[in-house]
Amino acid sequence: MSETVEDLLRRCAPQVLGALVRRYGHFDAAEDAVQEALLAAAGQWPSAGVPDNPRGWLIRVASRKLTDALRSEEARRAREERAAALAVRETSGEDRAPREDDTLSLLFLCCHPDLTPPAQIALTLRAVGGLTTAEIARAHLVPEATMAQRISRAKQKVRGVRFGRPDNWQERLPAVLQTLYLIFNEGYTATSGTSLQRRDLAGEAIRLTRRVHRLLPEAGEVSGLLALMLLTDARRDARTGPHGELVPLDEQDRERWDKAAIDEGVALVTKALARGPAGPYQVRAAIAAVHDEAPSAEATDWQEILGLYDVLVRLVPGPVERLNRAVAVAMVDGPYAGLAELDVLEGASGHRRDAVRAHLLERAGEPEAARAAYESAAAQTLSLPEQRYLQARTARLRP
């Protein structure tokens, strides 16, 4: 299957699912029907050509598969009483694009308050973000079978829930924002595979966050998350070299950064911070803004970044936040100060911690220890570009 068809199917999938759930309900059955339609398209389109209205084609095929399944299920219970009610109206509306709000309504449905936060995130990544169950499992460090059960239970819980924008946006907002952030992160730095980035996912996360921002323009954390995405995504063209190799932040060509995205992100976070107490996404966006506004890596105001990380770890004392703060400490007070911060971190395991340790040991003039840490980090990551970068750093330090 060509990359173009694969990207198109990934982009259309949540819109088609939203259209079916709006029309028929039956979230779990609708998702099964959409998957069947996607498989049919993947088999036909590369040879027969992409139809003029691919989304309409998918909606039509998925609708037929879903109504066939519903007829079969209904017939087992009350064939004669219900068959007519399940018939599809054969109108030109089948090819009409889904309502503009369908994907967003699907997002809020996946973040239903009856679901636990892990279930909300997993279901949204599956239904809206288009990630595979295996990718979601890797992101959550659980077996694929465990994640498949979690997603299946979540679909069962939202069965029969009315489709549409909920009135209680605020209650679902933290889960919605966290989910969008995870989708963006998977797009910006893929957890596995041959490519460092999955721009379709990052772009979809930004598009959905823009829609939430239009609904809740005064919500500071929505503005903060959108600003964070824009300020981070602004660097994407400079993050890889001509052969897809990873280029670290301090070596990137800043002329390739998206200045319009930086200006928009800075304006968003500045306005949000002026409105009241800062939340975690606003602080993260402020950190990204300091990086993006620096004319060079050497001119980065690390003292300000460290101060912002001090605020962030008070709000979110998680391992990722504390690991990033250790980097800022090293940039302000030297590599041994950063290494001391790493030594007291609990729960911050994995290749990123080892990669940071290796970088700080290299800066401290300890090549053998740095090489061992780079090797450890390279052995743990499932991303080929990250693995190659870490292996290259290892090779550079060999005697």
Side-chain angles (χ1 to χ4, degrees):
M1 181 171 59
S2 71
E3 190 69 19
T4 301
V5 171
E6 184 177 353
D7 290 344
L8 179 60
L9 292 176
R10 185 183 294 277
R11 187 170 65 253
C12 288
Q15 300 165 353
V16 175
L17 178 57
L20 260 67
V21 176
R22 169 169 51 84
R23 186 182 299 176
Y24 301 104
H26 301 278
F27 182 96
D28 51 345
E31 191 191 28
D32 291 341
V34 171
Q35 292 303 314
E36 290 188 47
L38 293 173
L39 287 173
Q44 296 178 32
W45 292 2
S47 57
V50 177
D52 292 337
N53 182 2
R55 189 165 53 185
W57 188 98
L58 289 168
I59 291 173
R60 188 165 59 252
V61 172
S63 294
R64 288 172 180 168
K65 291 182 180 298
L66 177 59
T67 52
D68 285 346
L70 293 177
R71 283 193 186 103
S72 177
E73 179 183 351
E74 194 64 29
R76 286 194 296 268
R77 293 178 295 165
R79 181 187 303 272
E80 302 214 351
E81 292 180 6
R82 299 281 296 168
L86 291 169
V88 179
R89 292 190 299 271
E90 297 293 340
T91 68
S92 60
E94 274 193 2
D95 290 328
R96 186 178 64 244
R99 291 179 186 169
E100 191 178 5
D101 289 348
D102 276 350
T103 304
L104 185 60
S105 296
L106 183 61
L107 176 62
F108 278 111
L109 176 65
C110 292
C111 296
H112 193 276
D114 286 349
L115 300 176
T116 64
Q120 293 170 339
I121 293 166
L123 185 59
T124 306
L125 288 172
R126 182 74 183 89
V128 184
L131 275 68
T132 66
T133 303
E135 289 168 334
I136 303 169
R138 281 196 295 270
H140 288 79
L141 304 177
V142 299
E144 184 176 349
T146 301
M147 185 55 66
Q149 291 177 350
R150 183 180 301 174
I151 293 172
S152 178
R153 287 195 296 267
K155 289 193 292 186
Q156 292 298 319
K157 278 201 170 183
V158 298
R159 171 182 283 184
V161 174
R162 183 182 65 83
F163 186 73
R165 278 194 213 165
D167 297 327
N168 54 340
W169 290 339
Q170 296 290 351
E171 293 180 16
R172 301 194 198 180
L173 194 57
V176 168
L177 297 184
Q178 184 182 13
T179 299
L180 291 172
Y181 187 39
L182 286 172
I183 295 171
F184 175 80
N185 285 339
E186 177 64 29
Y188 190 70
T189 303
T191 55
S192 64
T194 59
S195 298
L196 179 68
Q197 306 177 86
R198 296 173 59 177
R199 297 189 178 194
D200 54 341
L201 284 182
E204 181 70 5
I206 292 172
R207 187 186 73 80
L208 290 171
T209 306
R210 284 192 186 280
R211 290 202 52 76
V212 180
H213 182 255
R214 282 198 288 271
L215 287 170
L216 302 171
E218 301 302 314
E221 279 291 76
V222 177
S223 299
L225 179 57
L226 179 56
L228 174 61
M229 289 181 178
L230 292 170
L231 291 163
T232 306
D233 194 59
R235 312 173 200 141
R236 67 179 181 182
D237 289 341
R239 293 184 68 227
T240 52
H243 304 294
E245 66 272 20
L246 185 154
V247 179
L249 180 63
D250 60 349
E251 297 177 17
Q252 291 175 14
D253 178 2
R254 298 184 179 223
E255 291 301 314
R256 299 183 64 195
W257 288 2
D258 187 337
K259 301 299 190 295
I262 292 172
D263 290 343
E264 183 182 0
V266 169
L268 277 167
V269 70
T270 301
K271 183 177 180 182
L273 289 171
R275 281 200 295 260
Y281 293 117
Q282 292 158 268
V283 178
R284 292 185 182 106
I287 293 169
V290 176
H291 281 295
D292 286 10
E293 293 189 303
S296 66
E298 295 75 20
T300 302
D301 189 344
W302 282 101
Q303 190 70 56
E304 182 178 358
I305 289 174
L306 177 56
L308 288 167
Y309 271 119
D310 288 339
V311 175
L312 182 60
V313 297
R314 286 198 293 270
L315 295 170
V316 186
V320 173
E321 290 74 21
R322 296 171 66 200
L323 181 63
N324 290 336
R325 181 184 176 277
V327 175
V329 169
M331 297 303 295
V332 173
D333 298 324
Y336 284 112
L339 288 166
E341 293 288 330
L342 286 183
D343 289 339
V344 299
L345 288 185
E346 295 179 1
S349 59
H351 80 280
R352 298 197 185 282
R353 181 181 183 180
D354 284 346
V356 170
R357 182 181 297 280
H359 176 66
L360 297 184
L361 286 168
E362 185 178 359
R363 284 188 57 208
E366 299 189 29
E368 292 186 8
R371 186 173 68 248
Y374 277 131
E375 288 175 345
S376 175
Q380 295 177 70
T381 181
L382 297 174
S383 166
L384 289 181
E386 286 187 332
Q387 187 180 82
R388 289 170 184 151
Y389 170 77
L390 294 166
Q391 288 171 341
R393 303 290 289 201
T394 302
R396 191 177 67 178
L397 293 174
R398 289 197 179 102

